[in-house]
């Protein structure tokens, strides 16, 4: 592996014009494809295998033309104090609003509150339901404007009017904090390298990689049904790993220059050694992201595969474009230990350099491994405590900030009709195989009325064929409550008995039931996903480190990191700690896909630092150092760079906390805090403490397994003999 990558590094350095032109051409091609591609609509959200999805598909077949997947809006009216919505003036205003809304070209139907009995018992609140032909993301701006203008006209007449539903849904934005994250990364790179040129290389290559990845996703968005969150996630992961991978190779290049090698040789060795770590670190991230497909939620699969593709591009760019740009930079990238004029020193210091901070810290840990290990484990354990209170759910209008019209409409409906009105359940009765469909419909309605936590059950609404009917059930509890979840299960349990009596299938669907099914599906998939991803990466790390205990320690350290990160997410987004600082206006359940998504991404990123840091230790151990000294040597060479990489990755992820989409905000915070826990507590403290306690046993591998495993030579041992051949090797690279 090291020898192959060494040749790629030298070839890219020498043929820099061709390599640079190739990547620029790919970026241009992806950009043209993105610019010419049709605009993507709203990504479809399907959950194969769930009852809610089966019911939704059945509705599409049995009730054609109803635009079941179209956008909806609830225009909620509240009468002025002391008045009622049934007063003649208020009634006339509502009916005029309904008439205006019905004129829209994309409107399928608008319900009149007075005909649909959509007026609260006390007469103070009413609502009109607007159904559209297309999804919320596909609505024309003119339709949204007409909706808002109609509401504004009713407000002028004295009514309080708010709009709920997904008709006002817009493409989320990430905010200016994303730019701040990149700016922080630039400052860290300048401090690390002491040179604007050296600092600019990782930023430039990361932006090229992200540009290719995101442009490709945009070009394929319409054809592959990719949502806006897919490209945002790819950008987030791509920027972080792209900068880090380039940072490690540039840092190793400067170290090779400091040992007296010429620039082409240094580029080859940097790619052969640090590049090997980049390849395996990238593989762990790709495994974790692609592994999300085991959950069998198409949206999550697409997000994972798209982000994995961006990571693969980042690896290829680090291996080829970085050495090419180093060739262009020439003497402007200085050897390690030499600072440019930017930081006030242009030559190496003549006096002996004192041990760097990484060396001093590693020496301390090696002397006090038990104390450091206990402190790290107890600290992460304390951070993980809130995770025991984790509540999962998917966002609805109730999780919106109170400043939005969607949230105010949600609150008005709860006030007028009860909290369960915002999460109605749709029961679909398939009586095609029943001898008496009408009797089956009636039986289902009667059975549901007798259940606990039910407020209203509407009469069955059959289709034209008379073999399928829908029944709307209004729970007494809010959509995200445990009581509503229990009600969904109770209806499904009743359906089993009805099936035996009348051969009619009873299915529960609707947004609330879909959210419940998603949460359960994700919970059921978490353990298999952990086994698959951690198992594959464990095998990969055995090959890299040729050890059993080092990969095992890496996996256990990851579990500590992810549990502590989940605890922090619960504390901020569910409990509301520091919510104002993070821009969280509304606390509530943690998004259902957050735990499994964090497991996947954090595992991949955690293995990055494990590979980069421990590879340096193993390299020293393989070259003859004692186990304890190898830990110190690994930190002397790698701690500064790993620290810089972690700060950069945290800054990039934290930049997405400014997103207007709650899922992106939560992922940005969760990944940023997870990187902090993993890089600075697990990899910088717990890992060296454990290795110091294990000593030589850390690198033990059964002889039979050692013979069976391929020798990938991540440490670059094979380069020692290869580079000694000098001219012969140069001719081989030229050929």
């Amino acid at each position: 592996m090291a020898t192959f990558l060494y040749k790629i590094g030298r070839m890219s350095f020498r043929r820099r014009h061709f390599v640079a032109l190739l990547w620029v051409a790919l970026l241009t091609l992806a950009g043209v494809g993105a610019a010419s591609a049709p605009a993507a609509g709203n990504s479809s959200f399907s959950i194969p295998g769930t009852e809610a999805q089966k019911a939704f598909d059945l509705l599409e077949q049995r009730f054609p033309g109803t635009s079941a997947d179209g956008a909806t809006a609830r225009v909620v009216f509240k009468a002025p104090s002391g008045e009622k919505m049934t007063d003649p003036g208020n009634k006339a205003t509502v009916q005029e609003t309904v008439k205006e809304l019905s004129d829209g070209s994309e409107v399928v139907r608008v319900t009149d509150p007075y005909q649909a009995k959509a007026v609260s018992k006390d007469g103070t609140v009413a609502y009109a339901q607007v159904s559209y032909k297309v999804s919320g993301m596909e609505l024309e701006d003119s339709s949204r404007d007409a909706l808002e203008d109609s509401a504004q006209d009713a407000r002028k007449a004295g009514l309080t009017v708010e709009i709920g539903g997904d008709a006002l849904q817009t493409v989320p934005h990430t905010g200016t904090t994303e730019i701040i994250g990149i700016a922080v990364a630039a400052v860290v790179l300048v401090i690390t390298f002491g040179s604007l040129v050296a600092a600019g290389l990782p930023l430039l290559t990361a932006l090229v990689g992200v540009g290719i990845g995101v442009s490709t996703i945009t070009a394929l968005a319409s054809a592959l049904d990719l949502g806006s969150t897919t490209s945002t996630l790819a950008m987030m992961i791509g920027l972080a790993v792209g900068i880090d991978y380039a940072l490690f190779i540039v840092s190793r290049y400067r170290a090779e220059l400091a040992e007296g090698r010429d620039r082409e040789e240094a580029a080859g060795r940097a790619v052969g050694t640090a590049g090997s770590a980049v390849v395996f670190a990238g593989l762990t991230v790709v495994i974790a992201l692609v592994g999300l497909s085991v959950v069998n939620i198409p949206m999550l699969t697409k997000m994972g595969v798209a982000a994995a593709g961006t990571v693969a591009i980042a690896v290829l760019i680090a291996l080829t474009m970085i050495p090419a740009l180093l060739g262009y930079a020439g003497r402007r990238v200085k050897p390690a230990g030499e600072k440019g004029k930017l930081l006030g020193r242009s030559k190496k210091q003549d006096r002996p350099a004192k041990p760097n901070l990484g060396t001093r810290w590693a020496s301390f840990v090696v002397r006090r491994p038990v104390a450091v290990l206990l402190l790290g484990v107890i600290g992460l354990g304390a951070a993980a405590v809130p995770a025991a209170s984790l509540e999962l759910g998917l966002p609805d209008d109730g999780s919106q900030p109170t400043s939005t019209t969607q949230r105010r409409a949600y609150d008005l409906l709860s006030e007028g009709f009860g909290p369960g009105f915002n999460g109605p359940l749709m029961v679909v009765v398939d009586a095609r195989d029943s001898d008496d469909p009408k009797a089956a419909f009636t039986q289902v309605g009667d059975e549901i009325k007798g259940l606990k936590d039910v407020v209203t059950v509407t009469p069955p609404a059959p289709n034209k064929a008379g073999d399928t009917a829908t029944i709307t059930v209004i729970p007494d509890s809010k959509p995200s409550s445990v009581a509503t979840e229990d009600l969904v299960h109770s209806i499904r349990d009743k359906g089993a008995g009805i099936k035996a009596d009348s051969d009619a299938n009873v299915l529960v669907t609707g947004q609330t039931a879909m959210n419940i099914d998603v949460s359960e599906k994700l919970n059921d998939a978490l353990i298999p996903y952990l086994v698959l991803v951690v198992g594959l990466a464990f095998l990969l790390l055995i090959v890299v480190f040729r050890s059993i205990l080092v990969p095992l320690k890496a996996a256990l350290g990851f579990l500590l990191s992810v549990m502590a990160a989940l605890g922090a997410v619960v504390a901020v987004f569910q409990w509301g700690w520091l919510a104002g600082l993070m821009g969280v206006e509304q606390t509530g359940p943690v998004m259902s896909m957050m735990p499994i998504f964090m497991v996947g991404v954090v595992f991949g990123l955690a293995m990055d630092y494990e590979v980069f840091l421990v590879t340096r230790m193993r390299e020293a151990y393989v070259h003859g150092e004692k186990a304890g000294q190898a830990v110190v040597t690994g930190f002397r060479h790698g701690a500064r760079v790993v620290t810089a990489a972690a700060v950069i990755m945290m800054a990039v992820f934290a930049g997405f906390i400014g997103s207007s989409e709650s899922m992106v905000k939560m992922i940005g915070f969760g990944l940023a805090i997870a990187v902090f826990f993993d890089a600075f507590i697990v990899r910088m403290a717990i890992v060296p403490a454990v290795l110091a306690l294990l000593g030589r046993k850390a690198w033990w591998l059964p002889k039979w397994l050692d013979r069976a495993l391929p020798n990938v030579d991540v440490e670059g041992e094979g380069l020692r003999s290869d580079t000694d051949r000098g001219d012969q090797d140069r001719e081989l690279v030229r050929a």
Side-chain angles (χ1 to χ4, degrees):
M1 171 71 78
T3 303
F4 174 72
L5 293 178
Y6 163 78
K7 295 175 182 178
I8 288 179
R10 291 189 63 171
M11 183 185 70
S12 299
F13 185 94
R14 178 177 293 119
R15 300 179 179 175
R16 62 188 74 105
H17 302 307
F18 171 76
V19 173
L21 183 62
L22 176 63
W23 284 112
V24 170
L26 290 175
L27 178 61
T28 303
L29 183 64
V32 170
S36 58
N42 190 28
S43 178
S44 60
F45 188 76
S46 61
I47 316 295
T50 61
E51 181 172 313
Q53 185 64 45
K54 292 175 183 176
F56 184 81
D57 294 340
L58 185 65
L59 285 174
E60 291 284 333
Q61 298 172 12
R62 305 288 175 85
F63 292 83
T66 56
S67 300
D69 59 345
T72 59
R74 276 181 172 177
V75 183
V76 187
F77 306 89
K78 184 177 182 181
S81 179
E83 299 182 17
K84 293 184 180 295
M85 290 306 303
T86 51
D87 293 346
N90 294 335
K91 186 174 182 178
T93 299
V94 171
Q95 289 177 330
E96 180 61 29
T97 303
V98 169
K99 182 180 178 182
E100 289 180 16
L101 291 170
S102 301
D103 293 336
S105 60
E106 293 182 309
V107 174
V108 176
R109 60 185 172 278
V110 182
T111 60
D112 186 317
Y114 304 99
Q115 295 179 5
K117 298 181 180 180
V119 180
S120 62
K121 290 182 179 179
D122 62 4
T124 60
V125 179
Y127 72 93
Q129 180 98 0
V130 187
S131 301
Y132 292 89
K133 299 176 183 177
V134 296
S135 65
M137 296 293 286
E138 295 172 317
L139 269 182
E140 297 286 344
D141 289 338
S142 58
S143 295
R144 292 195 184 93
D145 293 341
L147 179 62
E148 293 174 332
D149 290 344
S150 297
Q152 187 60 35
D153 291 341
R155 292 188 187 105
K156 292 177 181 177
L159 298 178
T160 298
V161 186
E162 304 296 346
I163 305 170
D166 61 353
L168 296 182
Q169 181 181 10
T170 56
V171 177
H173 59 85
T174 54
T176 56
T177 50
E178 177 189 344
I179 307 299
I180 296 174
I182 297 176
V184 171
V187 171
V188 173
L189 287 169
V190 170
I191 294 174
T192 302
F193 292 135
S195 164
L196 286 175
V197 175
L201 294 182
L203 280 176
L204 175 61
T205 54
L207 290 174
V208 170
V210 167
I212 294 173
V214 173
S215 295
T216 302
I217 291 170
T218 304
L220 299 175
S222 179
L224 300 181
D225 191 26
L226 305 177
S228 58
T229 308
T230 304
S231 58
T232 303
L233 174 67
M235 182 187 301
M236 185 191 301
I237 304 295
L239 272 176
V241 301
I243 294 174
D244 278 9
Y245 293 167
L247 166 64
F248 280 103
I249 290 181
V250 173
S251 177
R252 186 60 182 253
Y253 171 78
R254 296 176 71 237
E256 297 295 337
L257 289 179
E259 293 183 11
R261 294 185 173 86
D262 65 60
R263 294 185 178 274
E264 182 179 329
E265 179 68 20
R269 289 185 65 89
V271 175
T273 52
S276 297
V278 165
V279 169
F280 283 99
L283 275 175
T284 60
V285 180
V286 169
I287 287 172
L289 290 171
V290 174
L292 290 170
S293 59
V294 303
V295 184
N296 197 26
I297 295 180
M299 185 185 76
L300 197 59
T301 299
K302 292 171 185 176
M303 290 169 60
V305 171
T310 307
V311 171
I313 292 171
V315 170
L316 293 174
I317 283 183
L319 298 178
T320 57
M321 192 173 182
I322 281 292
L325 294 181
L326 289 172
Y328 284 117
R331 297 184 179 277
R332 284 170 288 187
V333 176
K334 300 181 180 298
E338 253 186 82
K339 300 292 183 182
K341 296 180 180 179
L342 185 66
L343 295 185
R345 291 185 297 171
S346 58
K347 295 181 179 179
K348 291 183 179 179
Q349 301 296 319
D350 293 332
R351 63 179 180 272
K354 66 177 182 179
N356 62 21
L357 182 60
T359 302
R360 298 197 299 274
W361 169 250
S363 299
F364 170 78
V365 174
V366 169
R367 290 195 305 270
R368 301 284 189 273
V370 175
V372 172
L373 178 61
L374 288 176
L375 189 61
V377 171
I378 292 172
L380 289 178
V385 168
S389 302
L390 177 67
E391 296 178 9
L392 299 177
L394 288 176
D396 55 18
D397 285 347
S399 63
Q400 297 268 15
T402 53
S403 58
T404 62
T405 186
Q406 292 95 328
R407 173 60 188 275
R408 292 195 293 264
Y410 181 97
D411 292 340
L412 283 178
L413 288 171
S414 296
E415 175 188 332
F417 300 91
F421 196 80
N422 283 293
L425 305 175
M426 180 178 288
V427 178
V428 181
V429 185
D430 178 9
R432 176 168 287 184
D433 297 330
S434 176
D435 295 332
D436 190 351
K438 289 185 178 180
F441 301 155
T442 303
Q443 181 186 359
V444 172
D446 292 341
E447 293 275 4
I448 295 174
K449 287 177 184 177
L451 293 175
K452 183 182 176 182
D453 202 49
V454 173
V455 174
T456 304
V457 178
T458 64
N463 62 351
K464 290 182 180 180
D467 59 3
T468 307
T470 60
I471 300 173
T472 301
V473 180
I474 305 298
D476 188 40
S477 306
K478 64 180 182 179
S480 58
S481 67
V482 175
T484 300
E485 182 177 347
D486 291 341
L487 175 59
V488 170
H489 291 302
S490 296
I491 295 174
R492 288 172 174 170
D493 291 341
K494 288 289 185 182
I498 293 170
K499 170 69 173 175
D501 293 340
S502 61
D503 289 328
N505 286 319
V506 178
L507 304 172
V508 185
T509 189
Q511 189 62 48
T512 301
M514 184 73 81
N515 290 352
I516 292 170
D517 286 352
V518 169
S519 297
E520 292 179 352
K521 190 177 182 71
L522 288 167
N523 286 338
D524 293 343
L526 184 58
I527 298 302
Y529 176 70
L530 266 174
V531 172
L532 172 68
V533 172
V534 176
L536 288 175
F538 182 78
L539 295 176
L540 185 65
L541 292 179
I542 289 178
V543 174
V544 174
F545 296 126
R546 308 193 78 76
S547 162
I548 297 292
L549 296 179
V550 170
L552 180 61
K553 165 206 47 87
L556 294 176
F558 150 73
L559 291 176
L560 279 174
S561 299
V562 79
M563 290 304 298
L566 276 176
V569 169
V570 169
V572 173
F573 290 88
Q574 188 175 310
W575 292 359
W577 294 4
L578 302 177
L581 182 63
M582 297 297 164
V584 180
E585 297 185 42
Q586 182 63 39
T587 59
V590 173
M591 203 160 310
S592 298
M593 62 180 65
M594 187 67 187
I596 198 164
F597 186 81
M598 275 192 64
V599 164
V601 177
V602 173
F603 181 77
L605 300 179
M607 294 306 103
D608 276 5
Y609 300 116
E610 180 75 14
V611 170
F612 288 130
L613 195 58
V614 181
T615 295
R616 270 291 196 171
M617 298 177 191
R618 174 160 178 80
E619 185 176 341
Y621 180 77
V622 168
H623 292 164
E625 293 187 8
K626 294 183 178 180
Q629 184 58 38
V631 172
V632 177
T633 300
F635 267 76
R636 181 172 70 248
H637 291 297
R640 177 184 175 90
V641 183
V642 168
T643 299
V647 171
I648 289 169
M649 195 171 280
M650 288 168 56
V652 172
F653 288 148
F656 288 85
I657 296 175
S659 173
S660 63
E661 187 166 324
S662 58
M663 179 177 178
V664 175
K665 181 189 291 287
M666 192 179 293
I667 288 174
F669 171 80
L671 294 184
I673 197 71
V675 168
F676 171 77
F677 288 145
D678 196 84
F680 293 106
I681 299 180
V682 173
R683 309 304 155 189
M684 292 289 189
I686 294 177
V687 165
V690 171
L691 290 177
L693 288 171
L694 292 175
R696 295 183 60 184
K697 296 177 183 177
W699 309 108
W700 171 80
L701 186 70
K703 291 183 179 180
W704 64 268
L705 185 56
D706 186 41
R707 291 191 297 269
L709 291 177
N711 183 13
V712 294
D713 189 21
V714 177
E715 301 82 17
E717 181 67 22
L719 296 181
R720 291 186 168 224
S721 58
D722 283 348
T723 52
D724 289 340
R725 288 196 289 269
D727 293 337
Q728 292 181 5
D729 210 31
R730 292 174 187 271
E731 291 300 322
L732 180 60
V733 174
R734 287 194 183 98

